[in-house]
């Protein structure tokens, strides 16, 4: 599980931007302030989408998790943006085990060896996001309408699903 910002306007032009006025919001990501939306993804070990949603750019990563997990059960591996005891407890009630790393100022949690390995394999979702942005080109700042944005995003997501080779976790590998 991860999220990525979808920028619809350069920061210098936010004040004069009219296409997404009242729809998009300014939010902070790990790489700085962005104006636009966030794409939240849940993928499986084969790099296939299990669920996704789009929120305004200022929405916390933890907020859409309930909508994303829906009928899922099992384990979900997320980054530090999903750290929350309240969220972890709610997911546990729904037969979902959330595994994340801890922040530097937190006590280290004892993780099973499998969970440690799977957290290292989170690079797969980062590769999926990279392919969505660079190959399927779901992000650009030239949209002329919100409908154009939605069509471009959905077309990029569909194009990704049709790729014959997706980033995935190789079960045969001993790395």
């Amino acid at each position: 599980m991860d999220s990525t910002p979808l920028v619809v306007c350069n920061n210098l032009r936010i004040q004069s931007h009219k296409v997404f006025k009242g729809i998009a919001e300014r939010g902070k990501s790990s790489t700085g302030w962005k104006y636009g939306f966030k794409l939240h993804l849940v993928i499986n070990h084969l790099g296939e989408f299990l669920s996704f949603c789009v929120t305004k750019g200022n929405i916390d990563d933890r907020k859409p998790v309930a909508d994303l997990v829906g009928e899922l059960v099992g384990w979900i591996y997320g980054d530090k943006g999903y750290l929350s005891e309240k969220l972890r407890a709610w997911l546990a009630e729904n037969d979902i085990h959330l595994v994340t790393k801890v922040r530097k100022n937190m006590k280290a949690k004892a993780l099973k060896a499998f969970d440690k390995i799977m957290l290292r394999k989170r690079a797969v979702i980062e590769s999926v996001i990279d392919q969505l942005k660079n190959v399927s080109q779901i992000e650009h700042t030239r949209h002329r309408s919100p409908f154009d944005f939605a069509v471009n995003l959905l077309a990029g997501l569909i194009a990704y699903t049709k790729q014959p080779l997706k980033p995935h976790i190789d079960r045969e590998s001993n790395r």
Side-chain angles (χ1 to χ4, degrees), residues 1-168:
M1 173 175 11
D2 206 356
S3 69
T4 185
L6 297 175
V7 177
V8 296
C9 174
N10 293 325
N11 282 337
L12 297 173
R13 295 181 176 85
I14 292 173
Q15 299 303 320
S16 62
H17 186 76
K18 293 182 175 94
V19 175
F20 291 100
K21 192 172 190 123
I23 301 172
E25 292 291 336
R26 191 171 179 169
K28 189 168 183 0
S29 72
S30 60
T31 58
W33 289 93
K34 312 283 184 183
Y35 182 74
F37 301 95
K38 271 189 185 177
L39 174 64
H40 302 268
L41 294 170
V42 177
I43 65 168
N44 63 12
H45 65 285
L46 299 174
E48 300 166 338
F49 299 133
L50 296 178
S51 66
F52 72 92
C53 73
V54 178
T55 62
K56 292 182 178 187
N58 62 348
I59 301 296
D60 184 12
D61 287 352
R62 297 169 287 196
K63 193 167 185 175
V65 170
D67 296 328
L68 286 170
V69 296
E71 302 292 321
L72 298 178
V73 294
W75 282 259
I76 290 186
Y77 297 90
D79 60 12
K80 296 174 189 176
Y82 298 97
L83 279 173
S84 168
E85 284 304 318
K86 187 176 175 183
L87 177 62
R88 189 182 307 273
W90 183 84
L91 288 170
E93 289 174 11
N94 292 296
D95 295 326
I96 300 172
H97 306 282
L98 176 64
V99 181
T100 63
K101 291 184 178 178
V102 294
R103 292 190 181 101
K104 291 178 182 176
N105 62 351
M106 297 173 69
K107 276 187 181 179
K109 286 189 175 180
L111 291 175
K112 296 177 187 171
F114 181 77
D115 289 339
K116 285 182 183 178
I117 292 169
M118 290 304 290
L119 279 174
R120 282 186 283 183
K121 300 291 185 180
R122 280 199 71 261
V124 170
I125 196 163
E126 301 296 340
S127 297
V128 168
I129 290 170
D130 181 61
Q131 284 193 8
L132 285 171
K133 286 188 170 186
N134 295 315
V135 176
S136 299
Q137 297 180 349
I138 63 169
E139 179 183 48
H140 65 79
T141 59
R142 299 173 308 280
H143 297 292
R144 298 295 171 240
S145 71
F147 180 75
D148 179 36
F149 168 77
V151 168
N152 184 64
L153 176 62
L154 289 175
L157 294 172
I158 291 168
Y160 172 80
T161 62
K162 298 295 183 183
Q163 287 181 4
L165 293 173
K166 297 176 183 67
H168 64 280

